[in-house]
Amino acid sequence: MPRRLPVKSIRMVPTKTLCELYKAPCPGYDRPLAFRFHGEPGHSLAREKPGHSSSRVPVSNQVLYNQHRVEGLPDGKARSRYSGVTTIVPHQPQPSFEDESLAFFLHEYCVYPSPGIIRGHLDFLEDMYRGSDRASCIRPATLATAYLSLSRHYKSSTLYVTARKYYGAALRSIRKDLSVSNKNTIKDETLASLMLLGIIEDIECQGQDMKAVHMSGIAKLFEIVGQKVLDNVSSSTLYSWIFVQMQVASLTTTSPMECLVISDKDLDISNPSLRLALVVTRIGQFYREARRITTYIDPTVTPAEQRVMLVTVIQQALALGKEVALISTQAMPSKLQPQQTTDKRPVASKNQPLISFNSQWTAATWTFFMSCLTVFFNRLHLCSMTLLALSSEGPDGPDAQLARAAAAIAEERLKVVAHMVCHTLPYLFGEVDEKGMPLPVPQRRSVIMYHIVWPLSVLIASPFTSPQLLEM
């Protein structure tokens, strides 16, 4: 019998000739793999070697595969002891760590705008990352944050080391970008990279001091080029993100934060988001001025001069409080307002109130605003007590009456705010849905947990938050 020459494969991708011949829809061959995070927190992410037996078998089928193996068969084949049929266990393709980290980070931290969501969060990042060149600072900054978030999810030291490598590359790239950037503006990629490094600092628990220095540096950049953050809060989720984080930093720094100061005539206050941002800015200005009067008072200032300053700042705070009440009841659309219902969890007491929203992100944004009100009314109460102690006209004087009235208003509002925030936590933690029904599995997202850390710390530190309320 003549020998046949071996036929070498030309390794061509199959065509869709048959589909065209029979005029059938062709699904194609180049299909991207969908990422599925099968790993559990704490499990190792080490990839198996190509020749290892476990690399040929899915993790979920490994035990079954080991039970059905028969000695003497090649690796990768298994024979059922019941049917005697030999089956080939296919190799499971695995995405790269880079793609998996990016997919995980975008899934956990990106919030896209919709009718029931106020603004969004990081919805610009994917397009910015995909459209940037390889020398852009946004690439290492995004990869560093993505690797770090996935390393915390899997508790993987390998991913953590990679995240630190990209973190160093991001610092070098940002430094280079700032040294050659235009003096008249700051690129959005540079700002986004700086903000992503702030997320890394928060995940790494480097403390509020480091975050305050970080945000003060960004504020200095805005002041150098003459930009105002509030100019683009309503139109850019990047600037709204910077605005929120800068407000937190403004409460712990002595910097004036001139980039946050803007006159009312330059803003369209008919926009609810912009009006809310303007109120938050005024709260920050009041807090810094009141802190200067009550805490960092100049020794050369007399008690009479301090009383005059306290009366002025308290009157401004009361006017601001009226505007806050007006916004809460009239300015916000109904889809963004809190919804009153009852907590239907078995562990909750009967008819326990619950506050929910159309989305968890809106609830997190509302909680941040409530924390700003907590800071505002706490400082107003302190100013009132200080004025009452400095009053020289007796308990019936105008200054004393103003101080007692302001203190009573502040104390009442602090208790109401604490009560509302605490009854929003079951929904924020994903334990119940919008109607208060318990969920079988809590639906928690990293972006929500990340953004309620500061509001919860403010709530816990408030002297008007009762221990019984915190233990609910």
Side-chain angles (χ1 to χ4, degrees):
M1 183 175 180
R3 297 175 59 186
R4 293 184 179 180
L5 295 176
V7 179
K8 185 177 181 180
S9 173
I10 59 176
R11 299 180 180 273
M12 291 183 61
V13 178
T15 61
K16 52 182 180 180
T17 307
L18 292 178
C19 297
E20 294 176 350
L21 178 62
Y22 292 100
K23 297 181 180 180
C26 182
Y29 295 95
D30 186 15
R31 301 182 187 177
L33 293 175
F35 294 122
R36 294 173 294 175
F37 307 106
H38 294 298
E40 296 294 335
H43 287 197
S44 174
L45 273 186
R47 303 294 198 209
E48 299 290 350
K49 296 181 180 180
H52 198 274
S53 60
S54 61
S55 66
R56 300 174 179 266
V57 187
V59 176
S60 58
N61 298 337
Q62 186 68 44
V63 177
L64 181 63
Y65 171 67
N66 290 334
Q67 291 177 351
H68 287 182
R69 283 191 62 184
V70 178
E71 294 184 3
L73 288 178
D75 195 15
K77 295 184 179 181
R79 176 183 296 164
S80 172
R81 64 179 62 178
Y82 305 105
S83 61
V85 178
T86 302
T87 57
I88 302 297
V89 181
H91 176 74
Q92 296 295 308
Q94 296 176 337
S96 66
F97 282 147
E98 179 176 320
D99 294 338
E100 188 173 357
S101 300
L102 284 172
F104 177 79
F105 178 71
L106 294 175
H107 176 267
E108 287 293 320
Y109 281 87
C110 288
V111 179
Y112 293 92
S114 68
I117 297 179
I118 181 170
R119 298 193 309 270
H121 184 65
L122 288 179
D123 54 301
F124 61 89
L125 183 59
E126 185 174 7
D127 292 338
M128 181 182 289
Y129 176 83
R130 305 294 183 191
S132 63
D133 56 75
R134 302 195 66 85
S136 174
C137 58
I138 192 64
R139 300 186 74 87
T142 304
L143 289 175
T145 315
Y147 271 104
L148 183 61
S149 61
L150 190 61
S151 71
R152 290 304 177 96
H153 176 74
Y154 284 133
K155 296 180 173 60
S156 168
S157 59
T158 303
L159 294 179
Y160 179 77
V161 171
T162 308
R164 298 298 300 179
K165 181 189 72 172
Y166 280 111
Y167 179 76
L171 288 176
R172 293 188 295 270
S173 182
I174 291 174
R175 188 183 302 114
K176 179 181 178 181
D177 197 19
L178 290 175
S179 63
V180 299
S181 61
N182 192 343
K183 298 298 183 181
N184 298 324
T185 185
I186 310 174
K187 293 194 300 184
D188 286 349
E189 291 184 2
T190 306
L191 290 174
S193 301
L194 288 169
M195 295 300 295
L196 288 174
L197 295 187
I199 292 183
I200 295 176
E201 293 165 0
D202 290 335
I203 296 177
E204 286 278 77
C205 301
Q206 296 184 9
Q208 283 297 324
D209 293 338
M210 178 66 72
K211 188 62 175 291
V213 172
H214 188 106
M215 297 309 302
S216 297
I218 295 180
K220 192 66 176 178
L221 290 176
F222 275 97
E223 293 170 9
I224 291 175
V225 299
Q227 286 183 253
K228 301 289 185 179
V229 184
L230 279 176
D231 290 342
N232 297 315
V233 164
S234 59
S235 59
S236 170
T237 54
L238 171 61
Y239 278 79
S240 65
W241 180 27
I242 296 173
F243 171 80
V244 170
Q245 297 299 317
M246 203 171 287
Q247 291 296 334
V248 177
S250 68
L251 302 178
T252 57
T253 183
T254 57
S255 175
M257 293 285 187
E258 295 294 337
C259 61
L260 294 175
V261 179
I262 193 168
S263 59
D264 299 357
K265 63 181 181 181
D266 297 330
L267 296 177
D268 179 18
I269 60 175
S270 61
N271 187 326
S273 299
L274 200 55
R275 189 172 182 181
L276 202 63
L278 183 60
V279 170
V280 172
T281 301
R282 290 176 177 172
I283 288 175
Q285 293 172 354
F286 161 78
Y287 179 85
R288 290 189 291 273
E289 179 65 19
R291 183 181 58 180
R292 184 185 65 83
I293 297 174
T294 56
T295 306
Y296 303 111
I297 187 66
D298 191 345
T300 60
V301 176
T302 63
E305 294 174 339
Q306 188 178 7
R307 283 198 304 271
V308 173
M309 290 187 290
L310 285 171
V311 169
T312 302
V313 78
I314 288 175
Q315 290 174 346
Q316 294 174 354
L318 293 177
L320 183 57
K322 293 180 180 179
E323 186 173 357
V324 169
L326 184 63
I327 290 178
S328 303
T329 56
Q330 300 180 9
M332 297 303 294
S334 58
K335 292 183 178 180
L336 302 179
Q337 291 183 359
Q339 304 169 5
Q340 299 283 345
T341 183
T342 56
D343 192 345
K344 302 175 180 62
R345 294 178 299 168
V347 296
S349 58
K350 186 177 181 180
N351 296 327
Q352 179 174 317
L354 176 75
I355 297 178
S356 63
F357 291 80
N358 286 343
S359 72
Q360 286 183 320
W361 175 247
T362 303
T365 306
W366 177 84
T367 304
F368 173 80
F369 181 66
M370 291 294 107
S371 64
C372 292
L373 293 184
T374 302
V375 171
F376 168 70
F377 285 115
N378 270 322
R379 185 57 60 169
L380 175 59
H381 188 271
L382 179 60
C383 290
S384 302
M385 292 295 100
T386 305
L387 178 60
L388 195 60
L390 293 175
S391 179
S392 60
E393 300 177 356
D396 297 330
D399 292 350
Q401 293 179 1
L402 175 65
R404 283 196 297 270
I409 293 174
E411 185 173 349
E412 179 189 1
R413 294 306 303 167
L414 283 168
K415 293 179 180 178
V416 171
V417 168
H419 184 271
M420 294 179 68
V421 172
C422 287
H423 286 95
T424 313
L425 294 181
Y427 176 72
L428 276 172
F429 289 150
E431 298 177 358
V432 297
D433 59 8
E434 294 85 352
K435 298 181 180 180
M437 299 299 296
L439 299 175
V441 179
Q443 298 179 0
R444 297 189 178 99
R445 289 189 64 183
S446 300
V447 64
I448 305 299
M449 301 297 105
Y450 173 76
H451 279 87
I452 65 174
V453 171
W454 185 76
L456 289 182
S457 64
V458 171
L459 183 68
I460 294 172
S462 175
F464 296 95
T465 304
S466 62
Q468 295 80 9
L469 199 59
L470 293 174
E471 293 175 358
M472 289 180 52

